[in-house]
Amino acid sequence: MRVDGVTYTDEVEPRTLLVHHLREQLGKVGTVVGCDTSNCGACTVHLDGEAVKSCTVLAVQADGSDVTTIEGLAPDGALHPMQKAFHELHGLQCGYCTPGMIMAAVDLVADNPDPSDDEVREGIEGNLCRCTGYQNIVRAVQQAAREMNTGAQA
């Protein structure tokens, strides 16, 4: 599989979850283990360009796939617009849900470049935050969407 632009060839036990392979074998600890039941979304990554909860995917299922983690979202070292907006608009408190929330939000904006409040809330509903009231997250997603679309048009 290719993870954050680097190709890896590993032998894994067939029962190994992608989240555990990313964290334990590849050192991608930004992909957080939240619940192992697919309820919280903290482990969200992009698999072949689509947001997935990596605790629901076996590592062997990602064979031949392209995986992007939160670490690979901005490979040049600068913050991705979504990361920047979450920081600037206080879209996080403890930060535990933030990597998965950001990955889900980037996928949402790719499908809907100008989401309303309700569309953002619906788009991230598979990602739970126990600290915020979501309002700053919604604002951050919308700000990032504007910046991502402005950058895409340039």
Side-chain angles (χ1 to χ4, degrees), residues 4-141:
D4 297 338
V6 177
T7 300
Y8 294 90
T9 303
D10 295 314
E11 298 228 357
V12 297
E13 285 190 40
R15 65 183 179 182
T16 302
L17 294 173
L18 180 58
V19 66
H20 295 300
H21 182 68
L22 292 171
R23 290 179 59 81
E24 296 162 15
Q25 301 308 125
L26 304 183
K28 301 294 183 172
V29 295
T31 302
V32 180
V33 178
C35 66
D36 274 334
T37 63
S38 78
N39 286 319
C40 75
C43 66
T44 301
V45 298
H46 293 172
L47 180 64
D48 294 327
E50 299 290 323
V52 299
K53 295 176 182 178
S54 60
C55 74
T56 65
V57 177
L58 295 170
V60 295
Q61 290 175 294
D63 186 28
S65 294
D66 189 24
V67 178
T68 304
T69 69
I70 191 73
E71 289 97 338
L73 196 57
D76 62 357
L79 291 178
H80 182 279
M82 194 66 70
Q83 293 169 312
K84 183 178 171 204
F86 266 68
H87 173 74
E88 289 175 353
L89 295 175
H90 310 288
L92 59 107
Q93 284 184 14
C94 83
Y96 203 81
C97 72
T98 305
M101 191 74 74
I102 287 172
M103 297 304 286
V106 168
D107 188 53
L108 164 67
V109 171
D111 292 337
N112 182 351
D114 187 24
S116 67
D117 286 12
D118 288 341
E119 289 169 330
V120 172
R121 288 178 186 278
E122 183 178 323
I124 62 171
E125 71 183 358
N127 293 72
L128 300 178
C129 177
R130 291 173 176 90
C131 299
T132 72
Y134 289 93
Q135 190 54 37
N136 287 345
I137 291 172
V138 172
R139 290 178 45 228
V141 171

